Each structure stands twice: as C-alpha cells, then as structure tokens.
Amino acid sequence: MLGAIEAGGTKFVCAIGDETGEIVERIQIRTTVPSETIPQVIAFFKKYSIKAIGIGSFGPIDVDLDSPTYGHITSTPKPGWKDYPFVQAIKEALDVPVGFNTDVNAAALGEATFGAAKGLDSCLYITVGTGIGAGAVVQGKLLQGLSHPEMGHILVRRHPEDQYNGKCPFHQDCLEGLAAGPAIEERWGAKGIDLVQREEVWDVEGYYIAQALMHYILILSPKKIILGGGVMNQTQVFSSIYKYLRDFLNGYVNLPQLSEYIVRPGLEDNAGIIGSLLLAKEAGQFS
Ligand code: ADP
Ligand code: ZN
C-alpha cells in the first residue's frame, strides 16, 4: 500500500491506495496552520502499513534534492506555512520514503499515466482555481529545472475592456492576478458560480487563458492540454479559449482539433491525489 497527500490551500486530501491508482481510503482535512493540520495527517497514515508517501503540494516548494531546504514550502503568503519543512515532518513521523512535487505536477503525472493524456509522454495540466498553476510532463518526465515551473504568474496582454487592477500579491496583474477564481469574484462582484449567465465574464476569462496556452504551446509544445480547477467547471470558457487561441496563433502552429487537444481532466477531481500515489511509488523504488 502507498500513501498520498494532496496538499491544498483550503484542504488536504490524504489517501491510501496502490500503484494502479486505486484508492481504498481517503479523508479530507482543513488546511489551517501546520501545527493543527499535520498531526491529523500523521494520525491518518499511522493506521496503515504503507511503503512510501507521495506529496503533491501547493507551492512554491523546494524540490531540489541537493538544496539544504529541500522538502520545504517556500514563499507562500499562507500563515504558518512559509519555510515549513513538509517532507521532514512526514518522514520523521512515519519513517517511509517520501516523494515531493507540486500539486499540479502530480496531477500532470496522474493524467499522463491514467487520465486524458494516458499513453502520451507529454502533457500539460493547468488548474484555474484559487490560484493558477501548471505542471508538465515533458519527454516522459515531470518538468523540473532550477525549481518547478510557475506558469500561473506569466504576464498577459490586457483585454481591451478590462479595467480590473489584478489580485496577485506578488505581481498584481499577472495571469493568476487577472484570471483565478478570486480575481473573477473581485472584478465582477460575485462568485464565478453565480456568473454563469454573464457572457462577458467568460469571454474575458477565455481571452487570458488562451494567451497563456499560446505561450505554453510555443515554449513546450505539449501533446495534450488538460484544464482543471473550480473555475473550469464553467465549460462555456472552453469555447472562448478555442476562439481566442485560434485568433492569437493565426494558423502558425499545426494543432489537433482543439476540442480534443484542450480538454477537462480524465480523472476529474482525482488527478492530484492519484498523481501523488505515483510520486509515492517512485519514492519507494528509489530509496
Ligand atoms: P482550490 O484552487 O482552492 O484547490 P478550486 O479549484 O475549487 O479550489 O478553486 C476555487 C475557486 O474556484 C474559487 O475562487 C471559486 O469561486 C471558483 N469556483 C469553484 N467552483 C466553481 C464553479 N462551479 N464555477 C465557477 N467558479 C468556481
Ligand atoms: Zn503573480
């Protein structure tokens, strides 16, 4: 048996499963501060005999194995989590190998193994929720360089009619600052789920996401793009994305049919937790 943790800003999902992606037990724990949340995580896993644990975490995180702060959450504004030694805390309590990556890299791995990009050695997984983040499988491996990618914070060109200031605490009007759930809510004065009928909302949203996808396509050339996260439940955004992406690319890159190329997650809400099981499998093999 393997353990998996999908660590998010509002909730932690903890699961027991196996390397085929089968989940046999799971719980949700509210994300408050580490001293409250982590003991509950540990208590859950103590009940099982597990071989390894995989963590897909909100970030930014330190994923450089040679770094003295490997396994830490780094510059988050979330109270209590900045510089938190996540991997160390789990290892100390449970004494098993721990795999560690971003929540979105885990989701990309899950989707490439069992989901919408199954069988492909390349895909991009993007979440549009409380924040915007993306993970990528490139030539069969999770993309990592100096650190993990931070594709949600790229700069985008303004929609000509958008006067909203932006909400990113670091960059104000980066992609996340203009297009994540909280930005939609602040710009239009209502939550995304209550703006379903407002066409202009999803037009603006598609305008920004399409620009981001254009950059990602030009730089990484993914074989499949998967869009998850709460905001993407508004499936009308997809047609706006397809329209603007066609306009922006202007025929320059040959792409498959967009409705098959840019899709919803095959694993629905389980991409991150199943990907974390796969991180556990990998950690177990290399320890
Ligand atoms: P998180 O990113 O915290 O893991 P979600 O992916 O659910 O969680 O993202 C939460 C954000 O997505 C909130 O800003 C919320 O308003 C928005 N959201 C969630 N569900 C929907 C929906 N069905 N339609 C539009 N926006 C949604
Ligand atoms: Zn930003």
Side-chain angles (χ1 to χ4, degrees), residues 132-248:
I132 298 183
V137 172
V138 177
Q139 295 178 323
K141 290 176 68 174
L142 286 176
L143 184 58
Q144 183 172 328
L146 192 59
S147 183
H148 54 81
E150 279 288 357
M151 298 187 224
H153 294 270
I154 60 172
L155 298 178
V156 285
R157 185 197 283 167
R158 281 278 172 165
H159 187 287
E161 278 153 42
D162 185 18
Q163 305 295 323
Y164 175 60
N165 278 336
K167 208 177 168 55
C168 174
F170 294 93
H171 322 107
Q172 195 151 343
D173 63 353
C174 67
L175 176 69
E176 176 174 301
L178 290 172
I184 296 175
E185 185 174 345
E186 194 168 80
R187 179 191 291 108
W188 303 101
K191 283 192 183 302
I193 196 154
D194 299 320
L195 293 164
V196 181
Q197 308 301 332
R198 298 270 301 272
E199 256 174 59
E200 65 275 30
V201 171
W202 310 109
D203 181 76
V204 170
E205 186 67 11
Y207 183 85
Y208 290 128
I209 296 174
Q211 287 186 62
L213 297 192
M214 172 165 173
H215 296 312
Y216 306 153
I217 290 166
L218 294 174
I219 294 168
L220 284 174
S221 197
K223 291 181 181 170
K224 189 78 91 175
I225 295 178
I226 297 149
L227 289 173
V231 172
M232 297 314 299
N233 287 316
Q234 297 302 323
T235 45
Q236 67 271 37
V237 191
F238 280 83
S239 48
S240 170
I241 293 170
Y242 300 153
K243 178 186 82 180
Y244 282 118
L245 184 60
R246 256 185 229 110
D247 281 3
F248 295 148

